[in-house]
Amino acid sequence: LLGGVALIARERRETRMAPRLYTPLRGLLHLPDQTLAIGQVVNLSESGLELQFDAPVPTVGAQTLTLLDWPNTTDLVVEPVHSVIE
């Protein structure tokens, strides 16, 4: 019975209070050494965003991200939770 319940939970569609946006946006990540890394926002939602860079970027704790292609230039305080180097 427990296996059946887990299977149903996995198959349930994700419901969101706010939609995930797949609009390409440029972002400037303000690094701890006072330099900037230019990246591409891949997707954006109320709870977070995915940002891709052309080269590895050092991330430590909370940093400021400036969204450039938003209707108004917007600064967000972000903290990395997952990083992948391919």
Side-chain angles (χ1 to χ4, degrees), residues 4-85:
V5 172
L7 180 62
I8 292 170
R10 263 190 237 133
E11 292 296 325
R12 182 179 290 166
R13 289 184 54 103
E14 180 181 8
T15 56
R16 297 185 156 276
M17 298 296 286
R20 183 178 301 274
L21 304 175
Y22 293 96
T23 303
L25 300 169
R26 290 175 301 141
L28 292 177
L29 187 63
H30 301 257
L31 301 176
D33 66 358
Q34 306 303 313
T35 60
L36 299 172
I38 299 173
Q40 184 79 22
V41 175
V42 177
N43 67 63
L44 175 70
S45 71
E46 184 178 23
S47 63
L49 56 87
E50 181 180 350
L51 191 60
Q52 291 182 347
F53 299 94
D54 291 333
V57 173
T59 56
V60 179
Q63 295 171 276
T64 301
L65 173 68
T66 302
L67 297 177
L68 299 175
D69 300 320
W70 206 244
N72 297 315
T73 300
T74 303
D75 286 334
L76 304 171
V77 176
V78 297
E79 189 165 334
V81 293
H82 182 70
S83 179
V84 175
I85 298 175

